[in-house]
Amino acid sequence: MPHPLPAVSVVMPVLDEERHLEDSVRQVLEQDYEGRVEVVLAVGPSSDRTEELAARLARADPRVRTVPNPSGRTPDGLNAAIAASRGEVVARVDAHAEIPPSYITTAVRVLDETGADNVGGIMDARGTTPFERAVATAMRSPLGVGGSRFHVGGGAGEADTVYLGVFRREALESVGGYDPHFSRAQDWEMNHRLRQQGRRVWFTPDLVVTYRPRSTVRRLAAQYRGYGRWRRVVARRHPGTANARYLAPPVMVAGTLAATVVGLRWRPALVVPLGYAAAVTVGGWVVAKGETPAVRARVPLAIATMHWAWGIGFLTSPASLADGWDDQIR
């Protein structure tokens, strides 16, 4: 890492973020980092006051700039903000995430110490309502999301992907940035291309970002269905990358549905869906130990919603989502 401290560009795609945007930008501007920091907001066509608020934030502080993101899509916004930024280090921050004051300082230090090209930490899900807290509990548990360290924690080291990410600019530019085709899973896909180049993606538990989970079953299901759909697209683009953790939900969905249909004529087959329901119920209560009864009662629902939505999304992901691929990442 060059010395003195490198300039850092924080890029933030924003769409319908009136509720969170001002706090998110303030948290970036109040970082304890001693080098230069700028914030580039890629503003999509929002249905609330996000565009007006972003313009006001830019007028109030010269460290904040805005660029248009006409499509409103996350990868387009990220690429637009990166192109308009100037820092040697580029940090992705989402408008609904909450970063601690030492986030950039820690990330730059880890980049320097490890020689990595991208570093990230823990996606620390925290809710306020009973259902949000149930989702947060599920997201922090291997039963809900598998063993990814950015969800459940773990020791520092190389990783397939990390949450958000703080990058060396030259590494981002070497792979052409984010593939605009991927509405979701763009982080995993881009980190995969970095690793294909022999570059290092590094997880550190020293970076902890507060994440606010979805507030309803419907929104949670839509989120995880999208994850499943686009993870299937990644698997088609990069054969061999769908490991057991990613295949578990679609296998569970297919197996449980098949056993249920068979069970209508041969009752012993019903042990499969009943066993799944029992495992999720008991497991959910166990991982929610210490939570209130209202939260514990909702954790099995949250886990099952995540499993089924992800699995169904993966299984029903249409081949047409793969249309329009281009070997040149725009």
Side-chain angles (χ1 to χ4, degrees):
M1 187 68 63
H3 297 281
L5 290 173
V8 176
S9 296
V10 175
V11 296
M12 189 181 298
V14 293
L15 179 73
D16 294 328
E17 292 287 2
E18 177 185 0
R19 178 182 173 188
H20 301 290
L21 182 59
E22 190 163 11
D23 286 342
S24 296
V25 171
R26 175 180 52 77
Q27 288 168 1
V28 174
L29 297 178
E30 292 179 353
Q31 291 288 296
D32 63 13
Y33 185 63
E34 295 182 357
R36 290 187 293 114
V37 176
E38 68 170 352
V39 184
V40 183
L41 307 176
V43 185
S46 301
S47 59
D48 59 10
R49 295 177 54 254
T50 295
E51 294 173 78
E52 176 186 340
L53 179 57
R56 178 165 62 81
L57 292 170
R59 288 193 300 269
D61 195 308
R63 294 173 292 175
V64 181
R65 291 185 291 126
T66 64
V67 293
N69 178 23
S71 73
R73 298 173 68 250
T74 297
D76 293 336
L78 288 168
N79 286 337
I82 292 167
S85 67
R86 299 180 287 256
E88 301 155 71
V89 172
V90 178
R92 173 182 176 174
V93 174
D94 287 345
H96 52 271
E98 299 175 14
I99 62 173
S102 61
Y103 184 80
I104 293 177
T105 298
T106 301
V108 172
R109 172 180 59 79
V110 174
L111 282 173
D112 191 12
E113 292 175 349
T114 64
D117 297 284
N118 178 22
V119 301
I122 295 174
M123 180 183 182
D124 187 29
R126 299 288 169 181
T128 53
T129 68
F131 182 74
E132 290 172 353
R133 288 167 61 187
V135 174
T137 299
M139 293 182 71
R140 296 193 303 269
S141 164
L143 182 62
V145 294
S148 293
R149 282 178 288 175
F150 73 85
H151 278 302
V152 302
E158 292 194 42
D160 289 344
T161 192
V162 290
Y163 181 51
L164 299 178
V166 180
F167 305 82
R168 298 177 189 270
R169 174 179 291 278
E170 61 91 12
L172 270 179
E173 292 177 345
S174 74
V175 295
Y178 292 87
D179 186 335
H181 180 71
F182 288 87
S183 295
R184 291 188 182 269
Q186 67 273 156
D187 296 294
W188 197 101
E189 194 277 336
M190 200 262 289
N191 281 314
H192 178 73
R193 286 185 282 120
L194 284 172
R195 291 186 292 106
Q196 282 186 315
Q197 282 193 353
R199 295 179 180 274
R200 303 171 76 200
V201 178
W202 191 269
F203 168 82
T204 174
D206 294 340
L207 290 175
V208 180
V209 180
T210 300
Y211 171 84
R212 298 301 180 187
R214 299 299 193 268
S215 57
T216 66
V217 172
R218 182 176 180 178
R219 294 184 65 198
L220 180 66
Q223 177 188 20
Y224 273 79
R225 178 173 172 267
Y227 287 162
R229 281 165 60 93
W230 283 97
R231 191 60 184 80
R232 178 76 177 273
V233 178
V234 173
R236 289 178 176 131
R237 177 68 182 266
H238 303 289
T241 62
N243 58 31
R245 180 165 62 86
Y246 292 113
L247 293 176
V251 169
M252 179 279 297
V253 168
T256 302
L257 289 176
T260 301
V261 172
V262 172
L264 297 177
R265 291 184 174 274
W266 188 60
R267 292 299 178 86
L270 293 176
V271 71
V272 175
L274 293 175
Y276 172 79
V280 168
T281 301
V282 174
W285 274 78
V286 171
V287 301
K289 183 179 179 181
E291 285 285 359
T292 65
V295 173
R296 296 186 78 183
R298 290 168 171 80
V299 171
L301 172 62
I303 292 173
T305 300
M306 292 157 64
H307 287 177
W308 279 83
W310 207 103
I312 291 171
F314 191 94
L315 290 171
T316 62
S317 179
S320 61
L321 281 182
D323 291 346
W325 277 337
D326 190 330
D327 289 337
Q328 293 297 113
I329 305 302
R330 297 186 295 277

